[in-house]
């Protein structure tokens, strides 16, 4: 399990490195380089617009790779998604700016960002199922949290490299070529990830499906037809996690550097410290999910986010590094209380024959609802000289919607389900077929 979980974590970290490095570049440099005729605000909004396209592509990627995962195995998903995202990310670093090729530059940027999202949409489902379907029932939450640590590692890699370049290069050098270096580095990371995953074995549950001939013929059609309410609820439930994460890591970076006059170097350092703490506590929270259930932690996380959004904005507004870091930590701790357990939660909601598609589409639908729009909406709401309380209200509203969605979802931890109902919620059947989730079909 340690070898499998490590391979899953490494690949997810590399994929999210590719995705996050674009978000940081969008907040810092892409606006003036690719949309120079726009005002500073409009350029930032346009850069965040290309950032959002990656989220819109993620459900499509999850449907595409989910079909592969449910029909042909989880292993091909791990290799194909990593290769696609890596190639697209390297290509972003090679796109000439608007000053060189005109309108073709933002169009190419948009296309490559779409391909990034397509690859990442497939990555999560394959990586999570690799661990969830190999893990023993009583530690499924723990082992499934390893892919959830990957985003924190990927973020630290991406922003650590950006921070180093920002601190060592002049503004002119950084805007000329320095911002491209992290994108080029994605090629080496992708090769390393492919090497780590080359010996990954197919999961026992998919092998069982193959041997019994019970693989789904059209997984996406089966999920949409029989589980559309479940898809909408999981997408709405996860929206707040994405909204909070990208408010902290992307919008805050742009807001502080443009409105508060904070240099990008201390801002990146503050955000990285908060994300590092988030990654460290992820497996600890997952252990609580194995002991007490997935749903209670998700409800607590949503409530914490709803309570913390106004303090988060107030602390950001101070422009004091320590206070801003406190605001980031509080927000991300609320988010990780949910996301540490969803690696086990979402797969347990679906039967094995449609699990790769259902879990991945639900997860990435939350990304569209919470991640794609948040930097754009927050940037628009924060325009002006006063405190951006509109951003806090917007994030609080999303947290309350997610709280309502989690309240309508069932518990899936097999041990907790058995204790409450006496049902045989074995790991191989999918907890959604063992108890209350049947009503969601």
């Amino acid at each position: 399990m340690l070898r499998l979980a490590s391979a899953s974590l490494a690949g997810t970290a590399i994929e999210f490195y590719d995705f996050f490095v674009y978000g940081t570049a969008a907040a810092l440099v892409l606006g003036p380089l690719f949309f120079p005729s726009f005002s500073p605000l409009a350029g930032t909004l346009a850069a965040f617009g290309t950032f959002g396209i990656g989220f819109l592509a993620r459900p499509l990627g999850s449907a595409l790779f989910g079909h592969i995962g449910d029909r042909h195995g989880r292993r091909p998903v791990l290799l194909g998604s990593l290769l696609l995202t890596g190639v697209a990310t390297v290509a972003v670093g090679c796109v000439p700016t608007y000053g060189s090729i005109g309108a073709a530059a933002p169009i190419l940027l948009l296309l490559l960002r779409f391909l990034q999202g397509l690859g990442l949409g497939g990555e999560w489902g394959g990586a999570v199922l690799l661990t969830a379907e190999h893990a023993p029932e009583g530690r499924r939450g723990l082992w499934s949290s390893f892919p959830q640590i990957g985003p924190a590692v990927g973020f630290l890699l991406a922003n650590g490299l950006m921070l180093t370049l920002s601190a060592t290069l002049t503004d002119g050098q950084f805007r000329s070529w320095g911002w491209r270096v992290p994108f080029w580095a994605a090629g080496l990371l992708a090769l390393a990830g492919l090497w780590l995953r080359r010996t990954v074995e197919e999961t026992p549950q998919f092998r069982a499906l193959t041997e019994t001939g019970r693989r789904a013929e059209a997984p996406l059609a089966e999920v949409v037809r029989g589980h559309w309410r479940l898809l909408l609820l999981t997408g709405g439930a996860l929206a707040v996690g994405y909204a909070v994460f990208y408010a902290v890591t992307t919008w805050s970076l742009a807001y502080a550097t443009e409105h508060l006059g904070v240099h990008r170097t201390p801002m990146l350092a503050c955000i990285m410290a908060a994300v590092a703490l988030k990654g460290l506590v992820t497996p600890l929270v997952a252990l609580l999910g194995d002991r007490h259930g997935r749903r209670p932690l998700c409800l607590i996380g949503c409530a914490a986010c709803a309570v913390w959004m106004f303090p988060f904005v107030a602390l950001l507004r101070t422009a004091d590094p320590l206070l801003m870091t406190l605001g980031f930590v509080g927000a991300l701790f609320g988010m990780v209380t949910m996301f540490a357990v969803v690696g086990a939660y979402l797969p347990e909601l679906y039967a094995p024959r449609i699990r790769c598609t259902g879990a991945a589409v639900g997860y990435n639908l939350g990304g569209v609802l919470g991640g794609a729009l948040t930097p754009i909406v927050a940037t628009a709401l924060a325009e002006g000289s006063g405190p951006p309380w509109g951003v806090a209200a917007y994030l609080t509203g999303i947290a309350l919607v997610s709280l309502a969605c989690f309240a309508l979802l069932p518990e899936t931890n097999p041990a907790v389900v058995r204790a409450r109902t006496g049902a045989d919620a074995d790991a191989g059947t999918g907890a959604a077929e063992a108890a209350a989730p049947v009503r969601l079909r």
Side-chain angles (χ1 to χ4, degrees):
M1 279 308 307
L2 183 60
R3 180 177 62 84
L4 288 170
S6 298
S8 180
L9 187 157
T12 307
I14 293 166
E15 289 258 20
F16 275 91
Y17 166 91
D18 296 348
F19 203 71
F20 289 147
V21 77
Y22 189 100
T24 304
L28 295 178
V29 297
L30 295 187
L33 292 178
F34 288 87
F35 305 96
S37 60
F38 291 13
S39 68
L41 173 62
T44 300
L45 287 171
F48 281 151
T50 62
F51 173 77
I53 288 296
F55 285 97
L56 297 179
R58 284 174 63 169
L60 299 177
S62 61
L64 170 64
F65 285 101
H67 180 89
I68 296 171
D70 286 324
R71 288 291 303 157
H72 306 289
R74 322 311 192 195
R75 187 174 181 274
V77 173
L78 296 173
L79 301 176
S81 61
L82 183 59
L83 182 61
L84 174 60
T85 308
V87 170
T89 305
V90 173
V92 169
C94 300
V95 175
T97 62
Y98 186 94
S100 299
I101 60 173
I107 293 173
L108 285 173
L109 203 63
L110 200 68
L111 174 62
L112 292 171
R113 179 60 175 175
F114 181 86
L115 293 177
Q116 265 193 329
L118 207 65
L120 188 62
E123 163 67 23
W124 186 86
V128 164
L129 292 193
L130 174 70
T131 54
E133 293 188 342
H134 275 102
E137 178 187 300
R139 285 290 179 264
R140 187 182 299 142
L142 172 63
W143 291 115
S144 298
S145 73
F146 273 63
Q148 297 300 89
I149 301 171
V153 176
F155 182 88
L156 292 173
L157 286 173
N159 285 270
L161 188 49
M162 280 286 192
L163 179 61
T164 301
L165 293 167
S166 173
T168 56
L169 300 177
T170 65
D171 279 348
Q173 291 171 327
F174 185 78
R175 292 177 179 273
S176 175
W177 56 268
W179 68 271
R180 298 181 183 273
V181 174
F183 290 92
W184 296 335
L188 296 176
L189 292 174
L191 291 175
L194 291 171
W195 182 83
L196 285 171
R197 288 182 166 180
R198 75 194 190 285
T199 58
V200 167
E201 299 175 358
E202 191 52 77
T203 68
Q205 292 185 17
F206 182 80
R207 290 200 302 268
L209 288 174
T210 302
E211 292 167 2
T212 58
R214 295 179 58 239
R215 289 177 294 173
E217 291 297 326
L220 180 61
E222 189 171 332
V223 168
V224 172
R225 184 173 58 249
H227 304 271
W228 62 271
R229 292 184 184 87
L230 182 58
L231 277 180
L232 293 178
L233 284 176
T234 51
L238 297 177
V240 65
Y242 283 100
V244 168
F245 186 84
Y246 287 101
V248 169
T249 60
T250 302
W251 169 73
S252 294
L253 180 59
Y255 177 78
T257 54
E258 294 174 8
H259 288 262
L260 304 180
V262 182
H263 192 268
R264 61 176 177 261
T265 300
M267 273 304 299
L268 285 171
C270 293
I271 294 171
M272 286 174 63
V275 173
L277 289 173
K278 167 191 169 292
L280 288 174
V281 303
T282 295
L284 302 178
V285 176
L287 282 171
L288 294 176
D290 279 329
R291 185 176 180 86
H292 302 291
R294 328 294 188 204
R295 184 171 172 268
L297 290 176
C298 293
L299 293 172
I300 292 170
C302 284
C305 288
V307 169
W308 190 250
M309 290 303 97
F310 278 90
F312 156 67
V313 168
L315 291 168
L316 173 65
R317 180 73 179 176
T318 66
D320 179 88
L322 290 178
L323 293 178
M324 288 193 297
T325 302
L326 176 62
F328 299 154
V329 168
L332 292 183
F333 272 29
M335 176 258 184
V336 79
T337 305
M338 296 171 278
F339 272 54
V341 299
V342 298
Y345 196 8
L346 265 63
E348 288 171 344
L349 286 167
Y350 294 91
R353 58 185 276 112
I354 56 169
R355 182 172 287 160
C356 194
T357 300
V361 172
Y363 184 83
N364 288 293
L365 182 59
V368 174
L369 299 174
L373 296 177
T374 293
I376 300 172
V377 173
T379 299
L381 291 174
E383 181 62 12
S385 58
W389 299 125
V391 177
Y394 170 75
L395 294 173
T396 301
I398 294 178
L400 294 175
V401 170
S402 293
L403 181 66
C405 290
F406 272 123
L408 294 173
L409 287 171
E411 179 56 66
T412 62
N413 185 329
V416 175
V417 172
R418 275 196 298 270
R420 292 178 181 174
T421 68
D424 182 16
D426 196 353
T429 62
E433 297 189 350
V438 173
R439 70 180 185 273
L440 297 173
R441 294 185 174 184

